[in-house]
């Protein structure tokens, strides 16, 4: 036997050994599928046998994953769980996203649902994604939605919560969580990634943290196909530049625009969503610039007060406007009154009642606006 014959298939054998020893059964199956296709022409009997083995093992895939075998990692000192585990919720309502976010999140879901189709052309689904955006725009909610659509548990690791003054302990905790998640078919969310994956050229950070960032980058590179690694950050400017390159996908979550604010209001109103277009538009003005989380909290508070006081939500909205206008500068109250009056369904009398701005004041500002508009047109 020649030397070249002796080592034929060596690379495939070593790759398969690594996958098997790292306890990644679904990755083993994907790899064997590729091998079967590669040798379909030169070794048809071997390829057929591998395909048959894969077909017979597909029914046992859930057992191979051993999702309940490993204990949930805990902090050695406090003995508290390091991660929060949420079971998938199949009846979860679709979140309100910006159109660009909806497209990218849906693409992630469809890739995971059609892994076999990708494997047929030697492709893999997205294994990791970084969610970037200010607080309250739906980053954690999107991770929850993806997990629910894939019927997988969501594991959440708040990196800011596991940071310790003893960085060696932090490193051990993070590694324990990553090792645990890699053995599961799950969605892992690393929340507040900037708490740990900071720039390694930051002079204020010590060597242990820089080494931990290096380990994290390696884990992202080698994340198994059967799981999905997500990370979220509110402070993208703090991230190490290498972090951006490691993630398969980066999704930017912008603050909600007017149309998304209105959709969120309708969604969060629940059974009170038949309140009427007038009030939906008023709320969209009041919540302009707010994030989804704040909108949900404010509307929930209004609905809760309406229930406790046994009155219509619209009355609570009126009271809310009265409360906020008392603490606002006059110029801002006047601007709010103008916006409300701009809604064709609301009269000057109604705006005056809601904001405390007199109808005479509204008429004067309207007249000034009309004159300024005519001057602008050269009239």
């Amino acid at each position: 036997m020649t030397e070249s014959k002796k080592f034929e298939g060596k690379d495939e054998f070593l790759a398969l050994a690594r996958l098997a020893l790292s306890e990644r059964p679904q990755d083993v199956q994907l790899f064997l599928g590729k091998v079967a296709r590669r040798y379909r022409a030169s070794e048809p009997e071997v390829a057929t046998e591998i395909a048959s083995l894969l077909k017979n093992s597909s029914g046992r895939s859930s057992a191979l994953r051993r999702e309940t075998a490993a204990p949930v990692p805990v902090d050695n000192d406090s003995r508290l769980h390091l991660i929060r585990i949420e079971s998938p919720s199949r009846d979860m309502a679709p979140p309100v996203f910006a159109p660009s976010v909806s497209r990218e999140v849906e693409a992630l879901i469809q890739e995971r649902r059609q892994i076999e189709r990708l494997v047929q052309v030697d492709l893999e689904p997205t294994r990791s994604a970084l969610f970037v955006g200010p607080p309250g725009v739906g980053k954690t909610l999107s991770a929850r939605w993806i997990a629910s659509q894939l019927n997988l548990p969501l594991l959440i690791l708040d990196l800011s919560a596991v940071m310790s003054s003893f960085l060696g302990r932090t490193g051990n905790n993070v590694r324990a969580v990553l090792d645990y998640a890699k053995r599961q078919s799950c969605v892992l969310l690393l929340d507040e990634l900037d708490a740990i994956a900071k720039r390694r050229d930051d002079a204020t950070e010590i060597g242990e943290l820089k080494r931990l960032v290096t380990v994290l980058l390696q884990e992202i590179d080698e994340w198994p196909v059967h799981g999905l690694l997500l990370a979220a950050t509110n402070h993208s400017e703090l991230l190490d530049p290498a972090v951006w390159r490691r993630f398969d996908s980066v999704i930017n979550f912008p603050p909600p625009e007017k149309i998304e604010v209105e959709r969120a209001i309708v969604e969060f109103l629940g059974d009170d969503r038949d309140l009427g277009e007038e009030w939906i538009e008023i709320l969209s003005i009041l919540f302009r610039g707010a994030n989804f989380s704040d909108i949900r909290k404010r509307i929930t508070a209004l609905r809760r007060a309406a229930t406790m006081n046994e009155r219509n939500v619209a009355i609570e909205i009126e009271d809310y406007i009265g409360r906020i206008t008392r603490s606002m500068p006059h110029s801002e109250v006047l601007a709010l009154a103008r916006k409300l009056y701009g809604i064709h369904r609301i009269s000057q009398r109604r705006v005056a009642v809601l904001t405390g701005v007199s109808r005479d004041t509204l008429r004067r500002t309207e007249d000034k606006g009309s004159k300024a508009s005519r001057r602008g047109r050269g009239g």
Side-chain angles (χ1 to χ4, degrees):
M1 182 179 291
T2 64
E3 192 71 15
S4 60
K5 267 292 187 187
K6 180 179 178 182
F7 289 98
E8 186 175 351
K10 177 185 69 174
D11 292 341
E12 287 88 353
F13 178 81
L14 290 174
L16 181 59
R18 291 191 196 97
L19 291 174
L21 291 173
S22 63
E23 301 180 87
R24 290 153 59 178
Q26 192 168 14
D27 285 8
V28 171
Q29 292 177 350
L30 290 171
F31 179 79
L32 287 174
K34 291 181 180 180
V35 170
R37 286 187 299 279
R38 188 177 304 149
Y39 287 99
R40 190 174 294 156
S42 60
E43 299 286 349
E45 292 183 4
V46 173
T48 301
E49 182 65 22
I50 292 175
S52 177
L53 289 170
L54 288 173
K55 184 177 181 180
N56 292 334
S57 68
S58 61
R60 301 193 302 270
S61 60
S62 60
L64 287 172
R65 293 171 192 166
R66 300 189 298 113
E67 287 160 338
T68 60
V72 177
V74 298
D75 180 83
N76 286 333
D77 293 326
S78 67
R79 306 309 298 171
L80 297 175
H81 287 167
L82 294 170
I83 52 175
R84 185 169 77 253
I85 301 178
E86 298 183 4
S87 299
S89 174
R90 298 296 293 174
D91 58 353
M92 179 179 175
V96 178
F97 291 134
S100 60
V101 174
S102 292
R103 286 193 297 270
E104 296 192 66
V105 168
E106 183 61 26
L108 276 178
I109 294 170
Q110 291 305 319
E111 285 181 14
R112 309 303 300 192
R113 286 175 171 170
Q114 303 182 56
I115 289 181
E116 293 79 6
R117 186 174 180 180
L118 294 173
V119 170
Q120 287 175 2
V121 291
D122 288 338
L123 294 175
E124 294 180 347
T126 298
R127 294 180 298 168
S128 60
L130 175 61
F131 295 166
V132 179
V137 292
K139 299 188 295 297
T140 302
L141 188 62
S142 66
R144 191 171 288 122
W145 171 248
I146 292 171
S148 73
Q149 292 303 291
L150 298 177
N151 197 29
L152 292 174
L154 174 64
L155 280 56
I156 302 177
L157 171 62
D158 186 341
L159 288 166
S160 65
V162 301
M163 286 295 288
S164 168
S165 56
F166 301 101
L167 284 174
R169 183 185 303 163
T170 299
N172 290 337
N173 285 343
V174 172
R175 291 184 187 94
V177 169
L178 295 175
D179 288 342
Y180 174 80
K182 284 192 295 186
R183 295 189 178 96
Q184 321 296 317
S185 289
C186 67
V187 177
L188 172 64
L189 174 64
L190 303 179
D191 203 9
E192 299 202 40
L193 182 66
D194 47 273
I196 191 170
K198 294 183 179 180
R199 298 176 63 96
R200 283 172 291 180
D201 59 0
D202 187 342
T204 64
E205 299 300 344
I206 62 176
E208 177 62 27
L209 183 55
K210 294 178 181 179
R211 286 189 290 273
L212 184 54
V213 173
T214 300
V215 170
L216 181 60
L217 295 180
Q218 293 171 346
E219 292 287 356
I220 297 172
D221 280 340
E222 300 171 1
W223 200 255
V225 174
H226 66 257
L228 178 60
L229 173 64
L230 304 176
T233 179
N234 302 331
H235 303 286
S236 57
E237 72 281 358
L238 298 179
L239 294 181
D240 189 293
V243 171
W244 298 89
R245 299 192 296 270
R246 290 315 204 279
F247 284 95
D248 294 339
S249 174
V250 176
I251 302 179
N252 290 292
F253 286 70
E257 300 287 346
K258 182 177 185 294
I259 188 169
E260 287 119 35
V261 169
E262 291 177 350
R263 286 171 53 207
I265 289 169
V266 172
E267 176 67 30
F268 300 152
L269 278 170
D271 294 339
D272 295 308
R273 60 171 55 94
D274 58 352
L275 192 62
E277 293 183 16
E278 171 188 326
W279 290 108
I280 302 298
E281 199 161 353
I282 287 175
L283 287 172
S284 71
I285 291 173
L286 296 177
F287 298 154
R288 190 167 295 167
N291 59 48
F292 292 126
S293 179
D294 287 342
I295 295 171
R296 179 192 291 272
K297 289 176 183 176
R298 293 179 192 178
I299 290 182
T300 299
L302 290 171
R303 295 183 65 204
R304 189 183 296 122
T307 300
M308 297 300 295
N309 296 327
E310 298 183 345
R311 57 185 189 177
N312 192 280
V313 175
I315 299 177
E316 295 298 335
I317 298 174
E318 291 184 12
D319 285 355
Y320 175 71
I321 294 174
R323 291 196 302 273
I324 63 173
T325 53
R326 281 197 295 271
S327 61
M328 291 168 59
H330 178 71
S331 58
E332 292 183 12
V333 175
L334 189 56
L336 174 61
R338 288 174 187 153
K339 289 177 182 176
L340 292 175
Y341 184 53
I343 302 174
H344 63 83
R345 290 174 294 274
I346 304 182
S347 66
Q348 284 185 347
R349 180 190 297 274
R350 182 70 167 150
V351 173
V353 170
L354 289 173
T355 63
V357 176
S358 70
R359 284 186 287 171
D360 288 340
T361 301
L362 281 171
R363 291 192 193 99
R364 286 197 299 272
T365 57
E366 184 181 21
D367 291 341
K368 289 179 182 178
S370 299
K371 291 177 182 177
S373 178
R374 287 196 296 272
R375 285 197 300 271
R377 292 195 302 267

